[in-house]
Amino acid sequence: MNFIFISPNFPENYWKFCESLRINGVNVLGIGDQPYEALSYECKHSLQEYYYVNDMNDYEQLFKAVAFFSYKYGKIDWLESNNEYWMRYDAKLRTDFHITTGYQEDEVEMVRNKALMKKGYLKAHIKSARQIEVQSYPQVKDFVQKCGYPCIAKPKDGVGAFQTYRLNCDEDVEKFMKQPHENYVMEEFIEGTIVTYDGIVDSLGTIILETSHVFPVGIMDIVNQKNHLAYYSEREIPFDLKKAGKAVLKAFKAKGRWFHLEFFRLAHDKEGMGKKDDLIGLEVNMRVPGGYTADMIDYANEIDAYQIWADMVCGYGARSLKKAPYYGYMHHKNIIGTIVIAQKIFCKPMVHIYGCMNICQKYGRMPWEMKHLSLVLKRWTKYMHL
């Protein structure tokens, strides 16, 4: 099997996908914008060959790279980046080279365009925030009169919460409308906690790995206010979240890939939307949960999520997963990251801190996050009944 992995060098943990494929005997071919000499040792040794392009946004260069690999190694069976940013290029390359394992060019917009996502939610019978595609100031003012302040403006095809704005008053709207806004949508504000349904589906759409994460602080606030990012994994997936997640996967025809589905759990009753704790669709992401979440899934469930994905690619059977024995917690601020895993043993919490020593050695001190970790865990153990 020939597998082309787009951007195996970034994010920096993505070489693990390539390594897992290679363990299964797959011929892994990488395309990236980092010179070969600058690749990490692990990334180099997880690839059969690497093709350097100086601009990943230049489709002609990507096309030539895939053409070269096709000429040298024969038919390409899979092409994937596992990265939301490159999804359109992935889909176009699959279409141009007749690679059928993944979204094609005429299918990918449904999972990239935030306006089109609403159709998928309707098909899944999942409520979502009212939305318009921004066109004119009178149109926006009319929308605000119906939904009230605050409201949210975000790119139709943005990644994460980048260039997403919370508009709290007429002055904010006027300021927003003065900047380029042709590719923006505007949504009503939903007050609630972000919860996710994450995992992997096989080529038939069968879920072979599922988990959930809770974000006490919204990603938009973290990005715009430069706050600390903190979230944790659920030991048991709530029934309503699992039901909603499966409905969304079916509506969006998810097959042979990772998924990261975001929902709001309402903080209070909202007229026309639902009761407190009801789920509201936020965004559909057909890729790996961001950052080091895949590693956190590993630790929290005592599995190898990278290998489960690689086994799916190769058509191997799914592994049965029991209830997660751990809670996983991720805390990240700028370049300092910490994964904490708490386990219930003999009614007392056991805590493992991964990477703490390396952080201390690099920065010559104990980061703020570590100093205050005991306070965080103290609150968690009370909340989670560890």
Side-chain angles (χ1 to χ4, degrees):
M1 177 187 291
N2 292 318
F3 190 113
I4 292 181
F5 201 100
I6 304 296
S7 187
N9 55 300
F10 185 84
E12 62 181 22
N13 55 324
Y14 271 30
W15 63 267
K16 296 180 182 179
F17 291 115
C18 301
E19 180 187 56
S20 297
L21 288 170
R22 188 152 192 176
I23 288 173
N24 285 355
V26 176
N27 191 41
V28 188
L29 309 166
I31 299 174
D33 58 1
Q34 187 173 15
Y36 181 79
E37 298 76 17
L39 296 178
S40 68
Y41 173 87
E42 293 84 1
C43 187
K44 288 179 181 178
H45 288 268
S46 66
L47 301 172
Q48 174 66 30
E49 189 168 350
Y50 178 77
Y51 192 108
Y52 166 71
V53 297
N54 59 25
D55 184 2
M56 292 281 286
N57 288 293
D58 184 346
Y59 183 75
E60 184 177 351
Q61 291 189 47
L62 296 177
F63 185 93
K64 289 180 179 179
V66 177
F68 170 78
F69 283 144
S70 297
Y71 174 79
K72 185 172 181 179
Y73 295 100
K75 171 68 177 172
I76 303 300
D77 302 289
W78 279 76
L79 184 147
E80 183 61 75
S81 66
N82 278 336
N83 192 317
E84 187 175 5
Y85 186 84
W86 304 118
M87 282 188 72
R88 283 196 177 91
Y89 290 125
D90 292 350
K92 183 168 175 55
L93 288 167
R94 290 192 201 103
T95 301
D96 288 347
F97 286 90
H98 309 290
I99 303 168
T100 59
T101 47
Y103 285 117
Q104 301 298 297
E105 189 175 12
D106 61 349
E107 300 172 322
V108 73
E109 286 304 310
M110 186 92 170
V111 295
R112 285 292 289 117
N113 188 307
K114 291 177 174 59
L116 295 179
M117 283 181 191
K118 296 296 180 180
K119 296 181 180 179
Y121 282 129
L122 285 173
K123 189 175 181 180
H125 303 289
I126 302 296
K127 291 183 178 180
S128 61
R130 287 174 288 182
Q131 181 193 86
I132 59 169
E133 295 187 53
V134 176
Q135 296 174 352
S136 66
Y137 183 74
Q139 174 216 27
V140 169
K141 286 293 294 180
D142 182 60
F143 180 77
V144 170
Q145 285 182 345
K146 292 178 181 178
C147 299
Y149 287 114
C151 57
I152 304 300
K154 57 186 179 181
K156 282 194 292 188
D157 60 352
V159 177
F162 182 64
Q163 293 184 329
T164 297
Y165 307 102
R166 172 173 168 162
L167 309 179
N168 297 303
C169 59
D170 290 347
E171 184 180 350
D172 289 346
V173 170
E174 292 172 4
K175 183 178 179 181
F176 167 74
M177 293 300 292
K178 289 179 181 178
Q179 66 183 38
H181 55 264
E182 290 77 14
N183 293 311
Y184 269 77
V185 295
M186 187 168 289
E187 290 186 347
E188 65 178 314
F189 180 78
I190 303 294
E191 186 176 353
T193 301
I194 295 177
V195 296
T196 69
Y197 183 60
D198 308 315
I200 302 172
V201 289
D202 66 14
S203 59
L204 299 176
T206 303
I207 298 170
I208 59 174
L209 171 64
E210 59 181 355
T211 186
S212 173
H213 298 90
V214 179
F215 293 73
V217 181
I219 301 299
M220 181 184 68
D221 293 333
I222 291 168
V223 172
N224 291 337
Q225 300 174 20
K226 295 181 173 57
N227 287 336
H228 291 255
L229 168 63
Y231 57 98
Y232 61 88
S233 61
E234 296 267 39
R235 287 188 68 197
E236 295 185 66
I237 305 172
F239 175 78
D240 63 340
L241 179 59
K242 184 180 292 192
K243 181 180 179 181
K246 288 181 177 180
V248 171
L249 290 173
K250 183 177 180 180
F252 283 84
K253 300 179 181 179
K255 294 181 180 180
R257 63 187 310 105
W258 278 86
F259 60 86
H260 174 59
L261 312 180
E262 300 175 339
F263 299 85
F264 281 117
R265 191 171 291 282
L266 288 179
H268 50 72
D269 295 356
K270 185 174 177 63
E271 185 178 356
M273 194 63 67
K275 299 291 186 180
K276 182 178 182 295
D277 291 329
D278 281 355
L279 292 172
I280 306 298
L282 174 56
E283 284 187 12
V284 171
N285 304 283
M286 293 300 174
R287 43 86 174 169
V288 185
Y292 290 94
T293 308
D295 296 278
M296 190 167 80
I297 293 172
D298 282 1
Y299 296 135
N301 295 276
E302 292 186 329
I303 59 174
D304 186 339
Y306 299 95
Q307 195 61 52
I308 291 174
W309 173 81
D311 290 352
M312 177 277 296
V313 169
C314 296
Y316 298 164
R319 311 179 186 192
S320 60
L321 299 177
K322 301 178 181 179
K323 182 174 72 172
Y326 302 98
Y327 287 106
Y329 162 75
M330 176 69 78
H331 189 293
H332 179 74
K333 175 68 173 178
N334 296 329
I335 57 175
I336 299 176
T338 308
I339 298 177
V340 178
I341 308 299
Q343 179 185 22
K344 187 174 182 181
I345 300 179
F346 303 121
C347 299
K348 294 182 179 180
M350 175 180 290
V351 177
H352 309 280
I353 302 177
Y354 294 87
C356 176
M357 293 304 296
N358 290 336
I359 292 174
C360 292
Q361 290 172 3
K362 182 172 183 177
Y363 295 98
R365 58 182 174 81
M366 182 69 77
W368 180 94
E369 293 86 342
M370 296 295 187
K371 291 179 182 178
H372 292 76
L373 192 55
S374 60
L375 297 178
V376 175
L377 292 171
K378 190 173 182 179
R379 290 174 61 188
W380 275 9
T381 52
K382 180 179 179 180
Y383 175 74
M384 297 179 178
H385 308 292
L386 283 172

